[in-house]
Structure formats: structure tokens, C-alpha cells
């Protein structure tokens, strides 16, 4: 059985990503699930995207969309998402792409446009923010996958899978019977760590950046 390695909310912090990866004895059959928010806030958004793409040279990688990529993709068509992009770390992303917004999609447009909303396995659902517990997976509004908060993590869901998510930061991983959040505020707070989660045949191991 391959292991799943979940990482989310990197927010341009390349060194913290490299720190987490260096602490994992990566196997050829490991499957990486990067769960969104690669960009904004930290200084190296472009380099983070380059690095997660590079991981696909040695491992199967699944790339999910986060709230910040969702805002990026809608910024030019929607005033609200344009506001979100520029006011929640977007300037750092633009700077990392050479100072021009259009460079972002010119450089990594295929990557951003092909991000998935979730990844479902027999045992886990990987998603950036969560799901609305009142609806089936097929009935979800796509914005809930990337933006929902307390309505999800304060309530039990009814999927048979355990949900692995990020988006809402906690001081330590939020571990509940039916869900685990691994966002510790990387990129938002200077001393916050990036957290990776190794899922190995029922075992759960957390790996933290320096």
C-alpha cells in the first residue's frame, strides 16, 4: 500500500517546504497530495510552485486548489476576488513572478488552471478547506471546498472517509474522529511551522518544518 503525504498552506515559504521534505524518507511509491495555498504572503510563491511540480518527477503528485489560487484565477473577472488577492498576500506573489500580475499565469497557468477541488480515496478525502456537512459531496458549492471554516470543522460530516484539510490555522494539528487539519499558520505568522502528514496504512505521522 502506498503512503499518502499531505502538505497544505505553504504560502510562499520555500525553506519550510524543503525542511518538511528533508525529514521524510521519501519512497518511490509515495503519493503526495498538495492541498492548496502555494502562494501569497511568503516571498517565494513562484519557487514553491516550481518545487511542488518538481516533486512529480519522482512521485505521483495530486495538486488541489486553495482559496488563494481560487482568488488568483478569478481576480480579473470579479472585483471581490481581486480584492482578496491583493489584500491577502498577492503583492508578494506578483513580486516573485517578476513584478507583473500577468506573469503568474504566463509562467504557471496550466498548473493553476488544472488544480482539483478534492481527492477521494477509500479511506480519505483530501480538500483545502472542507465540505458543507449538510450536503453530499456531489452537491457541494465549489467555494466551500476552498473557503468553508467553522461550519465544517465544528460539525461532524457523514462521509465514510476521514477528511484531511487545511485553510484554518491552529496551534497544533486539529485531530478529530472524522477529520484532521494540518494548517499551523505557515506564511501568516513568522514563527509558524509547516506541517506534513504521512498516512501509512492507518498510521498518522506529523512532520514539522524547522
Amino acid at each position: 500500500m502506498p503512503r499518502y503525504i499531505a502538505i497544505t498552506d505553504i504560502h510562499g515559504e520555500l525553506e519550510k517546504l524543503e525542511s518538511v521534505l528533508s525529514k521524510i524518507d521519501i519512497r518511490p511509491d509515495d503519493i503526495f497530495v498538495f492541498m492548496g495555498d502555494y502562494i501569497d504572503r511568503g516571498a517565494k510563491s513562484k519557487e514553491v510552485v516550481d518545487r511542488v511540480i518538481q516533486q512529480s518527477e519522482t512521485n505521483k503528485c495530486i495538486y488541489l486548489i486553495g482559496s488563494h489560487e481560487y482568488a488568483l484565477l478569478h481576480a480579473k473577472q470579479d472585483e471581490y476576488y481581486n480584492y482578496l488577492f491583493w489584500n491577502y498576500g498577492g503583492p508578494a506573489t506578483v513580486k516573485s513572478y517578476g513584478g507583473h500580475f500577468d506573469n503568474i499565469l504566463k509562467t504557471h497557468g496550466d498548473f493553476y488552471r488544472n488544480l482539483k477541488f478534492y481527492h477521494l480515496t477509500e479511506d480519505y478525502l483530501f480538500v483545502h478547506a472542507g465540505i458543507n456537512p449538510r450536503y453530499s459531496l456531489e452537491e457541494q458549492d465549489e467555494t466551500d471546498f476552498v473557503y468553508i471554516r467553522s461550519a465544517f470543522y465544528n460539525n461532524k460530516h457523514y462521509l465514510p472517509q476521514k477528511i484531511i484539510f487545511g485553510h484554518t490555522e491552529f496551534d497544533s494539528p486539529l485531530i478529530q474522529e472524522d477529520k484532521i487539519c494540518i494548517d499551523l499558520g505557515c506564511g501568516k505568522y513568522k514563527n509558524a511551522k509547516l506541517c506534513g502528514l504521512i498516512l501509512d496504512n492507518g498510521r498518522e505521522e506529523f512532520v514539522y518544518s524547522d
Side-chain angles (χ1 to χ4, degrees), residues 37-90:
D37 280 10
Y38 313 90
I39 63 170
D40 296 349
R41 296 179 174 149
K44 296 183 178 179
S45 290
K46 176 186 177 295
E47 292 85 351
V48 165
V49 174
D50 284 334
R51 183 62 183 87
V52 299
I53 292 172
Q54 179 190 353
Q55 195 61 41
S56 68
E57 296 172 6
T58 56
N59 294 90
K60 179 178 179 181
C61 292
I62 294 152
Y63 304 108
L64 305 186
I65 189 169
S67 54
H68 288 250
E69 291 79 39
Y70 194 89
L72 164 66
L73 290 171
H74 292 81
K76 282 207 162 185
Q77 297 81 35
D78 188 295
E79 188 174 322
Y80 173 68
Y81 291 112
N82 186 61
Y83 169 84
L84 290 182
F85 176 78
W86 288 105
N87 286 273
Y88 288 88

Side-chain angles (χ1 to χ4, degrees), residues 50-176:
D50 284 334
R51 183 62 183 87
V52 299
I53 292 172
Q54 179 190 353
Q55 195 61 41
S56 68
E57 296 172 6
T58 56
N59 294 90
K60 179 178 179 181
C61 292
I62 294 152
Y63 304 108
L64 305 186
I65 189 169
S67 54
H68 288 250
E69 291 79 39
Y70 194 89
L72 164 66
L73 290 171
H74 292 81
K76 282 207 162 185
Q77 297 81 35
D78 188 295
E79 188 174 322
Y80 173 68
Y81 291 112
N82 186 61
Y83 169 84
L84 290 182
F85 176 78
W86 288 105
N87 286 273
Y88 288 88
T93 299
V94 172
K95 186 176 180 180
S96 77
Y97 280 90
H100 298 284
F101 179 89
D102 290 345
N103 287 350
I104 302 173
L105 295 183
K106 285 179 182 176
T107 306
H108 287 138
D110 287 345
F111 174 81
Y112 291 120
R113 285 187 285 262
N114 286 296
L115 296 173
K116 298 170 55 181
F117 281 101
Y118 63 86
H119 180 67
L120 186 67
T121 73
E122 185 177 341
D123 299 312
Y124 300 101
L125 171 68
F126 299 90
V127 64
H128 178 67
I131 63 171
N132 189 323
R134 295 180 296 173
Y135 300 108
S136 70
L137 197 55
E138 295 73 26
E139 296 172 316
Q140 297 290 319
D141 186 310
E142 66 179 31
T143 59
D144 281 332
F145 289 130
V146 292
Y147 285 110
I148 199 167
R149 293 192 190 273
S150 59
F152 166 62
Y153 63 75
N154 283 333
N155 294 283
K156 284 206 166 191
H157 64 85
Y158 299 99
L159 294 179
Q161 290 87 359
K162 183 176 286 190
I163 296 183
I164 311 300
F165 70 107
H167 183 59
T168 301
E169 71 271 5
F170 295 91
D171 292 335
S172 59
L174 177 72
I175 303 172
Q176 299 179 354

